[in-house]
Amino acid sequence: MIKRYKYGNMIETEAILAKPELSSDEVSFLTVNEETKTLFYKMTKDDHIYGLGEHVRGINKRGWFYESKCRDEPNHKEDTCALYGAHNFLVVDGEEQFGIFIDYPGIVSFDVGYTRSNDLTITLSDWNFDLYMISGESLKDIVKQFRQLIGRSYIAPLWGLGHGQSRWGYVCADDIREVVKKYKELELPLDSVYMDIDYMDHLKDFTIHPERFPEFPKFAEEMKAQNIRLVPIIDAGVKIEDGYSIYEEGAKNGYFCKNADGSIFVGAVWPGKCAFPDMLNKDAREWFGNNYKILLDQGVEGFWNDMNEPSIFYAEEHLQEIQKHADSYTGNQLMIDHYWTYKSMFDGMSNNADDYKRFYHNINGEMVRHDKVHNLFGYNMTRAAGEAFERLCPDKRILMFSRASYIGMHRYGGIWQGDNRSWWSHLLMNLQMMPSLNMCGFIYTGADLGGFGSNTTEDLMLRWMALGIYTPLMRNHSCVDSRRQEPYLFEDIDGFRHIIGMRYKLLPYIYSEYMKAALDDEMMFRPLAFEYPDDPLAARVEDQLMVGDGMMIAPVYVQNAQGRYVYLPESMKMIRFKKDGTVDEEIMEKGHYYVEIDLTDVVFFVRENHVIPMSKGGLRVDDVDFENVELISYVTAEEATYEYYHDDGLSKDYENPANRTILRATK
Ligand code: GLC
């Protein structure tokens, strides 16, 4: 049951399209205090808190302070409070079990037992929001009700679940040709190559560099003939340049965010000075979305939306203030206090909170200061694209995922987990974030495999890939100044071929589970507690997950480890796919084990009386035979069944009953 409460007058987010009637009951569980702008809950020692979407730290969010404040945070570490997305949904699991959603587009903080170990305090930056309290029979039920409330998740094309190679630094068509050639020569599976900002003409959205990518439509065709899709990036900032049609159109029609005096707000991003399309203005959104057609018409079928927190390296006006201030120090010795001030002026130049107060959106004719609606920007950039795709190619799925997000955006695209690093801790974070993102409707998601920033190592890459084979978005992406990390550059090519190849073998299961999670408002990745609510040990497991209906995974995320400890909450069959092509199976009873896992082993656990459909694999998703699947199972009853979802992967005939069949396995 969902109860809705309203405080003040919220700026509409459209996170929820069909709002339930307001409840006249008292709010249960929470103390609501308008004076302190807080919602408070006294946790018991054993309460677990799940959710909050994209954040650092564990599956259980207790013991830290988090903020919903979309933020470009490429150096995120354990003590980071805010990342790229703002997802105000959490579930309390303990003596009481309930979900809370705070629909509010400004900054919200969540002190989850950080200041005082049993206090959960949610603080809003102003008192205009809707509160939803959700009760249900179980954790899964609460999440499902929430998901039904926020509407069906975006659905990616099947090829978007193939393996993608990306790198900031493929500067011309030949660089991409080389990647595809290497993959082909070494028989490494691949479905897409991502195009980072290098493809643009002087970093301008919706342009293609004429010399680096001459005759782009032909190039896209050449790739498509090899079943490779090109996926270009689109940035939020539009370069300010006379003669650049996108800028000129936006300026002429008043589609950019404005300063208080009505002039265009200027902030710098990759191309230098930029204007920011007013994604919250319906007409501007329609205009921005229509521009994707420029690339769709040239053979592109997917995009990633970036820098849409929005990320601002510096605001023009702010920079001038800093420069003036800095000049006042010229010739003086910087005493310590001055030194700190001086330094922090420059350190705080990017994504500065004050800069977010300098510009305005036109929301249905009303000028709204950006900081009041900050968390809606990336959401509405992706919505601009999603709505345009509906107009431009209503029957075809277009790949779309974004960096920034708010709940509601999940209907228009997936997200990737932003600029992580080639750190073992970020591999674990990738795993831990999956269920909390799924709770908030983001099913098409994954992290930059191998790590975006810093230098990766071959073992990290292999271990990370061994997790990436389960995540719907499976993309190897890295930063221009980091060590290159295409699999063919490492020693153990056979190992990479085996692990990536396992994705294609598992695709019937992964795609089926992905689609069912999206269509039926389920979580594809679940903490063990969601599946084994009566097992207190399961609730404490922070590094294993249920993937879909029948599988548990336990990735290795420690360097030089030969394996790891695994907790089995019930009897399961461990399956080990080895690089040499052999497969080991072992039935294991409930309990704790140390499981050896070689660097190139793919190991997962099948639940009792469950079935995993697999294929023979392939080098492209198109090669995968989804019809004649082989069943991996652990059957102790007469038979075990599996609801198998399969469709053409490209059109939108989701409800066709023929897409769902029952597979049966016997003892
Ligand atoms: C941002 C993105 C990253 C991309 C880079 C250059 O940092 O998060 O994925 O490679 O910009 O476009």
Side-chain angles (χ1 to χ4, degrees), residues 211 282 352 375 496 500 502 535:
E211 279 114 51
K282 200 169 159 294
N352 184 286
N375 291 333
F496 280 102
I500 303 168
M502 279 303 299
D535 180 345

Side-chain angles (χ1 to χ4, degrees), residues 168 196-197 233 270 304 306-307 403 416 419 448 452 475 477:
W168 177 8
D196 208 317
I197 45 174
I233 195 169
W270 305 121
W304 42 313
D306 192 23
M307 309 303 275
R403 196 171 71 176
W416 88 100
D419 293 346
D448 288 347
F452 172 73
R475 179 179 78 144
H477 179 51

Side-chain angles (χ1 to χ4, degrees), residues 585-603:
E585 296 187 357
E586 186 186 339
I587 289 172
M588 295 157 85
E589 296 309 317
K590 173 181 166 131
H592 287 96
Y593 295 87
Y594 184 83
V595 178
E596 301 231 342
I597 305 175
D598 194 78
L599 255 185
T600 54
D601 283 357
V602 170
V603 172

Side-chain angles (χ1 to χ4, degrees), residues 270-490:
W270 305 121
K273 289 183 193 173
C274 287
F276 295 84
D278 186 352
M279 304 296 180
L280 278 73
N281 169 335
K282 200 169 159 294
D283 297 335
R285 198 160 62 229
E286 189 174 327
W287 160 74
F288 191 78
N290 283 341
N291 288 311
Y292 285 79
K293 186 169 188 300
I294 297 171
L295 294 164
L296 288 172
D297 286 348
Q298 300 187 57
V300 167
E301 294 170 70
F303 302 87
W304 42 313
N305 279 348
D306 192 23
M307 309 303 275
N308 50 2
E309 293 70 29
S311 177
I312 301 175
F313 295 165
Y314 63 84
E316 178 63 11
E317 217 182 311
H318 188 182
L319 183 69
Q320 284 168 14
E321 287 162 17
I322 294 175
Q323 278 166 342
K324 214 163 137 202
H325 198 138
D327 284 350
S328 70
Y329 288 104
T330 309
N332 298 331
Q333 195 192 156
L334 287 180
M335 299 309 284
I336 191 67
D337 283 356
H338 287 138
Y339 167 73
W340 290 126
T341 319
Y342 189 82
K343 187 169 177 297
S344 67
M345 275 179 347
F346 290 96
D347 287 349
M349 206 161 78
S350 301
N351 310 316
N352 184 286
D354 287 338
D355 289 340
Y356 291 133
K357 293 182 183 155
R358 289 177 198 264
F359 62 98
Y360 292 79
H361 297 274
N362 174 353
I363 307 180
N364 301 321
E366 200 189 322
M367 297 312 277
V368 179
R369 208 174 69 188
H370 174 80
D371 60 314
K372 309 253 177 231
V373 287
H374 175 70
N375 291 333
L376 302 182
F377 192 90
Y379 161 16
N380 281 284
M381 176 184 181
T382 299
R383 180 176 172 187
E387 288 174 342
F389 301 155
E390 278 298 323
R391 290 191 298 274
L392 300 168
C393 33
D395 300 323
K396 184 176 170 184
R397 292 184 229 172
I398 301 292
L399 184 67
M400 164 51 65
F401 58 92
S402 168
R403 196 171 71 176
S405 59
Y406 181 84
I407 291 173
M409 200 209 85
H410 70 287
R411 298 191 297 267
Y412 302 100
I415 55 174
W416 88 100
Q417 296 177 3
D419 293 346
N420 57 8
R421 294 212 167 234
S422 298
W423 294 340
W424 291 85
S425 59
H426 279 189
L427 193 177
L428 176 61
M429 191 169 73
N430 179 182
L431 176 92
Q432 290 173 322
M433 233 191 257
M434 295 304 290
S436 54
L437 289 175
N438 278 196
M439 286 171 73
C440 299
F442 296 97
I443 311 296
Y444 187 78
T445 184
D448 288 347
L449 300 174
F452 172 73
S454 309
N455 296 326
T456 203
T457 55
E458 178 161 5
D459 53 354
L460 177 58
M461 202 68 230
L462 285 163
R463 293 294 196 198
W464 212 327
M465 281 283 176
L467 166 62
I469 58 173
Y470 305 105
T471 61
L473 168 62
M474 183 193 179
R475 179 179 78 144
N476 173 344
H477 179 51
S478 56
C479 185
V480 67
D481 59 0
S482 66
R483 175 183 184 179
R484 290 193 63 145
Q485 58 188 43
E486 292 81 355
Y488 50 78
L489 298 174
F490 295 103

